[in-house]
């Protein structure tokens, strides 16, 4: 199996090639076509399996295929438990979108919010966030997530373990009801299944 058969654009394939990837990992092989088909997924995947590219590559394809008519709006939101993970996902998203007109950024707590708010004001397509800071900026009306088309819950079990269940539910209530949901978790409790069901 090669990346060429997955339905990704030449700009994305070029970035993948530059990363030195030759074959998709099992999770990528399974998830990419399903996400490109605009279906929801509930995937069991640990860190190290290539899950980040598994959701990022098809998201980049979907967003770049249908560019927004007017101003740039947040169209994909990735929720993740820690700032380290959030920063790592952003790094990946930036690398894979080198040859695309896609802007991405990250927001997380524990640091001054002003630089994050300034970046958001410039217009962002993909936002990677920890739940607390996202809600905080939303409550201050510094962030609009009313145009999100794709929601990724990354490491969903860890987010629940860290006590983010309430925050995630509040975020899901703010997001447009009509959206694509991509949930990744190493384990599947009843709580995770409920979260996936919205
Ligand atoms: P992740 O599970 O998303 O944290 O990815 C784990 C590591 O695998 C990262 O360092 C990626 O850069 C790398 N990686 C992801 N997909 C591939 C692939 N298809 N071939 C080789 N390495 C990959």
């Amino acid at each position: 199996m090669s990346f060429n058969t997955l339905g990704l654009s030449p700009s994305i394939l070029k970035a993948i090639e530059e990363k030195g990837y030759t074959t998709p990992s099992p999770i990528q092989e399974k998830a990419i076509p399903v996400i490109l088909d605009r279906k929801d997924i509930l995937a069991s995947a640990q860190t190290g399996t290539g899950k980040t590219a598994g959701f990022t590559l098809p998201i980049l394809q979907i967003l770049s295929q249908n560019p927004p008519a007017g101003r740039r709006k947040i169209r994909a939101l990735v929720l993740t438990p820690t700032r380290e993970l959030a920063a790592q996902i952003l790094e990946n998203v930036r690398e894979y979108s080198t040859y695309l007109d896609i802007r991405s950024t990250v927001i997380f707590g524990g640091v001054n919010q002003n630089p994050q708010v300034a970046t958001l004001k410039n217009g962002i397509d993909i936002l990677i966030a920890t739940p607390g800071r996202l809600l905080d900026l939303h409550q201050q009306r510094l962030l609009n997530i009313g145009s999100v088309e794709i929601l990724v819950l990354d490491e969903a079990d860890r987010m629940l373990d860290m006590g983010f269940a309430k925050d995630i539910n509040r975020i899901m209530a703010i997001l447009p009801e009509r959206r694509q949901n991509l949930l990744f978790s190493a384990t599947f409790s009843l709580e995770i299944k409920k979260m996936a069901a919205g």
Side-chain angles (χ1 to χ4, degrees), residues 11-173:
S11 303
I12 297 174
L13 292 174
K14 189 174 172 198
I16 294 172
E17 198 186 320
E18 283 177 7
K19 283 285 283 175
Y21 304 169
T22 51
T23 44
S25 70
I27 178 89
Q28 291 165 0
E29 211 173 288
K30 274 200 203 156
I32 293 172
V34 180
I35 299 171
L36 288 176
D37 211 19
R38 307 307 314 263
K39 296 206 167 74
D40 287 357
I41 67 166
L42 190 64
S44 163
Q46 322 263 353
T47 299
T49 53
K51 70 177 157 73
T52 312
F55 63 76
T56 303
L57 300 175
I59 288 175
L60 291 174
Q61 172 83 16
I62 291 166
L63 299 188
S64 57
Q65 243 174 6
N66 313 285
R71 275 187 62 222
R72 231 176 257 271
K73 292 176 187 147
I74 299 168
R75 299 173 66 198
L77 172 65
V78 181
L79 291 180
T80 191
T82 67
R83 70 170 86 178
E84 290 78 15
L85 211 51
Q88 198 182 314
I89 295 170
L90 177 70
E91 198 185 314
N92 275 283
V93 170
R94 291 253 172 100
E95 284 174 340
Y96 302 140
S97 59
T98 304
Y99 303 106
L100 299 171
D101 178 27
I102 293 278
R103 286 198 216 152
S104 50
T105 196
V106 66
I107 59 173
F108 46 69
V111 294
N112 186 331
Q113 70 176 41
N114 296 340
Q116 298 177 353
V117 172
T119 308
L120 287 169
K121 283 215 176 99
N122 289 334
I124 287 295
D125 303 286
I126 303 178
L127 178 65
I128 299 117
T130 54
R133 176 57 59 102
L134 181 91
L135 271 181
D136 194 2
L137 295 187
H138 181 265
Q139 275 153 6
Q140 297 176 63
R141 300 184 179 278
L142 295 169
L143 175 77
N144 185 346
I145 51 172
S147 299
V148 169
E149 298 163 36
I150 308 172
L151 170 69
V152 181
L153 297 174
D154 187 37
E155 309 228 349
D157 48 354
R158 267 180 79 196
M159 287 202 280
L160 292 185
D161 290 346
M162 290 172 68
F164 284 131
K166 214 169 156 190
D167 283 355
I168 291 169
N169 285 330
R170 284 164 70 192
I171 293 166
M172 297 219 281

